[in-house]
Amino acid sequence: MTTTHQVAGRHELVIIGGGVAGLDIATHLARTKVGGQPIEVTLVDKEAAYVWKPMLHTIAAGTSDARTQETVFSAHARSHGFAYQPGEAISIDRHRREVQVAPLRLGDVEIVPARTVSYDTLVLAVGSRANDFGTPGVADYCAKIDSRSEAIAFNDRLRVRLLQAVWSREPLTIGIVGGGATGVELAAELVQIAVVAEQYGANGASTYLKVVLIESGPRLLAPFPERVADAAHRKLEQLGVSVRTSARVASADGDGFQLGGGERIAADLMVWAAGVKAPALLDTLGDLERTRSGQLVVGPTLASPVDPHIFAVGDCASLRLPGRDIPVPTTAQAAHQQALYLCRHLPALIVGKQAPAATYRDFGSLVSLGGFDAYGSLGRFGFFDGGFIRGRIAQLGHAMLYRSYQARLHGVLRGSVLWLADTLARRVRPKARLS
């Protein structure tokens, strides 16, 4: 095992997780100074590249290609002045201020050895994972799409099974558990990939692909306004998706799901997209307060109330703010706002200065059903006051969230070039990943 040592006179800021918040913080705090000394920023992530998490379901379905949407960590780190450590962070010793990083392997070959990375300040931006609540069989038989590599792996299986279904003329049933945004959007993208496959010669793909969406609650999209949820439900059923609400999965096996009431739902491919829990890394912080789902409880400056050297942002953090009865939601917009806060105030907090409390503004919610439709609610502030939008306006709003993040990450000029390149690529490349 190797160890990365601190450089005298430099403040070592280690960020674990290169998602929507972590990569933003690394990009904007690299090359800054605290107390006249430079901040040395190190980003640790087990993936080789970043893909905007709200896009993972499109990669899983194949309607987007990860290679055209990803930001390669090593290249981005070099151009923006921070270090990238590949590998999974598996434990944190907060008393020694060290992070243990597992070796990076390709099959049986060890590419990068295990390491211990030292820090002065640690930012946890490790996101969240679907929570199977210990349901028997889920870990063995259900795919999850919480990361870039998981989305790609599922798409590899999907493309093979869909072609087999078309040529054997036997139906392929995909069961999705979880009626949140991920499950709803994935169901629509799967319908769309079958339509696209037919356009490229896979005759009957739409006929042979069956999608079942299972939700334990009484309706889809529980955090969304009821009008948005109802519209999405009706559209999915129009697209041929079988939507089952108030249906609790008791177990999973190689042939499908067993529901709590004794009913069985057969499925050839299964995806678990329900629940939210923090990654196992946070279990190594056993002496710090965490929620039942494993999130680290943080104060108004996003720091642990017990350890001021540890901050957490995004889905892995539980932030309660004055005037709110519940913690800030685990959404991309919340993670983005928290990243903006740390980009602005972390240098002052590092040297012990005061900073205002973090804030959260709900700008509304959007759900996109592929190219078929989109629905959203506007935040309750100013002129908008919670209005309902749908169709092209909602689709544009959904796209602009991604493009504005690209502009912040790469700069307005390069972000605009990436948008133009993506638009041109869509005109000359297949509409889906088919090979």
Side-chain angles (χ1 to χ4, degrees), residues 112-236:
V112 182
R115 288 138 288 151
T116 299
V117 180
S118 300
Y119 68 86
D120 295 307
T121 298
L122 180 67
V123 174
L124 298 170
V126 290
S128 64
R129 296 189 58 79
N131 190 352
D132 62 20
F133 307 102
T135 305
V138 171
D140 295 324
Y141 297 103
C142 294
K144 295 178 181 178
I145 54 172
D146 296 314
S147 68
R148 165 184 165 275
S149 58
E150 288 175 340
I152 293 172
F154 178 78
N155 180 253
D156 288 340
R157 294 175 60 198
L158 171 65
R159 286 182 289 114
V160 171
R161 296 299 297 271
L162 183 57
L163 287 175
Q164 287 178 331
V166 170
W167 293 109
S168 67
R169 299 183 180 276
E170 294 182 359
L172 169 66
T173 301
I174 302 176
I176 305 169
V177 178
T182 298
V184 167
E185 292 183 329
L186 176 61
E189 296 290 342
L190 289 171
V191 174
Q192 183 165 328
I193 193 64
V195 172
V196 173
E198 283 193 343
Q199 294 173 355
Y200 287 97
N203 297 327
S206 295
T207 302
Y208 296 114
L209 180 66
K210 308 294 182 183
V211 180
V212 181
L213 180 61
I214 306 168
E215 165 58 36
S216 62
R219 69 175 176 91
L220 301 179
L221 301 170
F224 286 69
E226 190 168 351
R227 185 177 179 183
V228 173
D230 289 345
H233 189 142
R234 289 194 299 271
K235 188 63 178 183
L236 286 177

Side-chain angles (χ1 to χ4, degrees), residues 128-424:
S128 64
R129 296 189 58 79
N131 190 352
D132 62 20
F133 307 102
T135 305
V138 171
D140 295 324
Y141 297 103
C142 294
K144 295 178 181 178
I145 54 172
D146 296 314
S147 68
R148 165 184 165 275
S149 58
E150 288 175 340
I152 293 172
F154 178 78
N155 180 253
D156 288 340
R157 294 175 60 198
L158 171 65
R159 286 182 289 114
V160 171
R161 296 299 297 271
L162 183 57
L163 287 175
Q164 287 178 331
V166 170
W167 293 109
S168 67
R169 299 183 180 276
E170 294 182 359
L172 169 66
T173 301
I174 302 176
I176 305 169
V177 178
T182 298
V184 167
E185 292 183 329
L186 176 61
E189 296 290 342
L190 289 171
V191 174
Q192 183 165 328
I193 193 64
V195 172
V196 173
E198 283 193 343
Q199 294 173 355
Y200 287 97
N203 297 327
S206 295
T207 302
Y208 296 114
L209 180 66
K210 308 294 182 183
V211 180
V212 181
L213 180 61
I214 306 168
E215 165 58 36
S216 62
R219 69 175 176 91
L220 301 179
L221 301 170
F224 286 69
E226 190 168 351
R227 185 177 179 183
V228 173
D230 289 345
H233 189 142
R234 289 194 299 271
K235 188 63 178 183
L236 286 177
E237 290 190 328
Q238 291 173 10
L239 295 174
V241 176
S242 174
V243 180
R244 301 292 307 275
T245 55
S246 300
R248 184 182 63 84
V249 173
S251 64
D253 55 41
D255 298 316
F257 299 105
Q258 188 74 32
L259 301 187
E263 182 184 355
R264 183 165 185 81
I265 296 179
D268 303 294
L269 290 178
M270 294 172 282
V271 179
W272 191 275
V276 175
K277 69 175 181 179
L281 172 67
L282 272 69
D283 294 340
T284 65
L285 296 171
D287 55 344
L288 299 185
E289 184 182 359
R290 293 179 298 137
T291 65
R292 292 180 61 184
S293 60
Q295 298 164 301
L296 183 66
V297 175
V298 296
T301 62
L302 302 178
S304 164
V306 176
D307 190 336
H309 303 288
I310 297 180
F311 295 76
V313 295
D315 291 5
C316 71
S318 178
L319 171 64
R320 285 185 178 270
L321 295 174
R324 289 185 60 90
D325 296 330
I326 59 175
V328 171
T330 54
T331 61
Q333 67 167 305
H336 177 57
Q337 291 179 40
Q338 291 165 23
L340 292 177
Y341 174 85
L342 285 187
C343 287
R344 185 176 300 118
H345 297 295
L346 186 57
L349 291 168
I350 285 174
V351 296
K353 294 182 179 180
Q354 296 293 317
T359 59
Y360 170 69
R361 173 170 284 184
D362 183 1
F363 289 100
S365 304
L366 291 167
V367 59
S368 175
L369 302 188
F372 301 111
D373 213 338
Y375 312 95
S377 63
L378 300 173
R380 294 187 174 278
F381 60 91
F383 171 78
F384 300 107
D385 195 27
F388 174 80
I389 58 175
R390 68 173 299 172
R392 291 189 178 276
I393 294 177
Q395 288 175 326
L396 178 62
H398 196 272
M400 287 303 296
L401 291 175
Y402 176 48
R403 299 306 178 182
S404 62
Y405 181 76
Q406 278 189 315
R408 173 169 172 79
L409 201 61
H410 302 288
V412 175
L413 177 59
R414 189 175 180 193
S416 300
V417 171
L418 287 171
W419 189 353
L420 176 61
D422 193 27
T423 301
L424 294 175

